Amino acid sequence: MIPFVINIVYFLLSLALLLAFIRLTRGPSLPDRVVALELIASIVVGFVGVHAIDTGISSLLDVAIVIALTAFLAAIGFARFLERGTQE
Amino acid sequence: MIGFFWNIMLALAWAALSGDFSGMNFVAGFFFGYLALMVLQRQVPVLKGYSRRLPRVVAFLVFFIKELVKANYRVAYDVATPVWYMKPGVIAFRLKARTDVEIMFLSSVISLTPGTLSLDVSDDKKVLFIHAMFLQDEEQLRQDLRELEHKILNILR
Amino acid sequence: MTDIIVSILLLAGAGFMLLAAVGIIRLPDLPTRMHASTKAGAMGAMFTMAGVAFFFADGVVLARAFAIVVFILITSPIAAHVIGRAGYFIGTPLWSGTIKDELRDNYDSQTHTLRSGYEDSPESVTLPPKPNPDKNP
């Protein structure tokens, strides 16, 4: 049962990744693209979790931690960049 | 916070002394530690009010999860169906919370609930600007936010 | 039994992620897109991690999955607030269906200050004072 469900979940997550990627390329403004990047990071965290179940390697969760961390830092950095751009 | 830390320590001591680190035994240790701290809190100033605060935190968590599910359903419905029922807008919410920690906690909880997103605090920290997705009934929304703030202040103060 | 719980959690997580992605494509302006993406995305990641924790049912994995969930719970509102604020202040246009904006008038883009509109009133409490039975005057 689990392998079948995992295939469905992979499919749904890929679809979500594709939609987020469309917004990333099309987004009219820079903040839209940043939001899309955030979402892609969340989806990749989900991907890594599902892959950990699929392969049975629990160490993959460390990868998920690092991705969540860098996504947060990237969001903060982008926001600083955006706000400073308006002040000068 | 310090009370909670001591409660965890007491539960760990319980588990270690009874030699059984299973989840159920840990919960039992936590419960007995809670009782012990309830007796102690009159003598120790740091622990004051701990026994009243913990049930409030648990009640708040339950309330928050309920709100989360309700609001998520609403946003999901609007995203998934072709017709938009949303009336988005930015409202100014008058804060009763004073300190930075209270405002941070409140704005984080508001941001986590789907349908509301805290944008900014005014420079004198009196007003929180919130972007809301459903402004059909603004009074109702303000009342809900007021209730949420009241619950959070009950925990933190 | 465990299989069923794990399956439900994984499907719920993937469903939330897909919902966030559909929302980010369909919704009309930046703040509404953030409503969909940041919260549903975080919920999706949290459900998936809960599924992972149930599947392995091991102390170390449980602690790690719990750490990820707490981390997402702490960071996602901060990231949402920071991006939303930056996007608003650099003048991203709002959707034409937006019915109210109480922030625009209070913001001065030259000096970058944000007024509250209540500068003259000393305290923030607007409600009538509650009768307090504990303190007798």
Side-chain angles (χ1 to χ4, degrees), chain B residues 49-63:
Chain B
Y50 174 68
S51 69
R52 267 186 301 123
R53 204 169 284 181
L54 190 67
R56 273 186 198 157
V57 172
V58 174
F60 176 74
L61 279 181
V62 171
F63 167 80

Side-chain angles (χ1 to χ4, degrees), chain B residues 16 25 55-56 59 93 100 114 121 131 134 136 140 144 151-152:
Chain B
N25 197 37
R56 273 186 198 157
F93 178 67
D100 285 349
V121 185
H131 184 277
F134 300 98
Q136 279 90 344
Q140 182 63 40
D144 288 350
K151 287 202 158 99
I152 287 173

Side-chain angles (χ1 to χ4, degrees), chain C residues 9 12 15 51 58 63 67 78 89 114 129:
Chain C
L9 284 172
D58 171 43
I78 297 175
F89 285 146
L114 186 58

Side-chain angles (χ1 to χ4, degrees), chain B residues 79 90 92 111 120 126 138, chain C residues 26 39 85 100 102 121:
Chain B
V79 167
V90 179
S111 280
D120 207 351
K126 280 179 181 166
E138 197 188 325
Chain C
R26 281 202 64 218
K39 286 132 210 179
R85 181 192 135 101
K100 199 168 192 180
E102 292 180 350
S121 56

